[in-house]
Amino acid sequence: MLRTLLNQTSLTIAGIMSGTSLDGIDVAIVRMEGSGLDTSIKLLHFESFSYEAEIREKLKLLCTIENSDVAQVCGMNFAIAERFADAVSQTAAAAHMSMAEIDLIASHGQTIWHIPVADERNPYLPKSTLQIGDLSVIAKRTGRPVVGDFRTADIAVGGQGAPLVPYGDYLLFKHASKGRILQNIGGIGNCTAIPAPAGGMIAFDTGPGNMIMDQVVYELSEGRMSYDANGDWAAKGKVHQELLEDMLAHPYFQELPPKTTGREIFGKAYVASWLASAVERGLPQEDIVATATAFTAHSIARGYKDFIFPQCDIAEVIVSGGGAHNRTLLNMLGALLPEQTILTSDELGISADAKEAMLFALLGNAFIQGEPNNVPAATGADRQTIMGKLALP
């Protein structure tokens, strides 16, 4: 099986993405031709599977030091892998494909903890990262080879292990005459700036994407809602400028790229503290949601103005991820960036929901083809390297 796989130049790959938003599992089955800059990709089928509320809340707890333990991490590593395997099987069935028609599975895994900068006070807390969803479990359940655990290789050569999407962003969206920013808005927001003509990229995590908005909506609705559909709740409120400026004063936004962040900084503890401050000020619920939404929009725009616009001209901002469906958020972003056209990747023929799963399929293809698939300019790595580990069925 492995010898056959390595000799193929055309592969059908199922990319699995489960992001920091903890909303569920995305699976994109794609057809790949070629390798490196000559790679082409075609989406064959996409499915999304929401996590049930219990799993979502357990994962949130795993992403906190206070509420996690080794037994829960150990068990969830296998439990989530079973769900990943089921998601691929169900996606193949929905596409009227047999599992034998899928050459490879590429899995991002579920991030539980990420340490992008070493703790100089503790030699046992070096730069490191942990994504669960055991590769062998997925391989044995599906009967297909699986590539995953990509981030660790980048960290091993001095990077921060994120963002990883610039590799695919460049392949899919480079343009001869237009400078573009690819903005993914999942749990965390990350951007890739591709100057025109396509040259050196700038990429970093802009800060929280949907993470704070979703947690605020969950808390205010007492668990009845997990997100603000279309941004309708935020559209009814007014942004509290003082509270917004307090949020934007967080030191993360002053750090120079390359940089990455996650629930370790902007998770449940951050939201609880911020929400308490908003309630103490007597803000109506719709104003709280509007301010949380504005925080994401302003942090994205500020990142561009501080770190991208001084270095290159940008004509278009192309948004993907769950945030692409939040019309209030996109309207806020458009108002902050009047000189740029705000698009969703759907408008360019790439599904905003499927894009990240497709990009991890690209990383899996590069692994099999023996091509470096990290971008040192984005992650701060010392050199290019081949990211990923292989599990056989």
Side-chain angles (χ1 to χ4, degrees), residues 150 164 167 362-364 366-367 371-375 385-388:
F150 295 98
L164 297 189
Y167 175 86
L362 272 167
L363 293 180
F367 173 92
E371 297 277 350
N373 50 5
N374 69 328
V375 179
T385 194
I386 299 172
M387 300 183 297

Side-chain angles (χ1 to χ4, degrees), residues 302-316:
R302 184 169 292 189
Y304 297 173
K305 292 173 182 177
D306 288 346
F307 307 120
I308 296 176
F309 294 164
Q311 299 188 51
C312 55
D313 294 325
I314 298 295
E316 296 177 340

Side-chain angles (χ1 to χ4, degrees), residues 4 8 12 44 48-49 103 111 116 224 239 257 277 298 340 357:
T4 302
Q8 290 179 233
T12 299
L44 302 180
S48 187
F49 304 88
D103 298 306
T111 299
R224 293 187 301 275
V239 177
S277 177
H298 279 259
Q340 284 73 40

Side-chain angles (χ1 to χ4, degrees), residues 9-11 13 30-34 39-41 358 361-362 365:
T9 57
S10 178
L11 295 172
I13 303 178
V30 300
R31 189 66 180 171
M32 297 278 192
E33 302 282 348
T39 305
S40 65
I41 181 171
M358 292 173 68
L362 272 167
N365 181 66

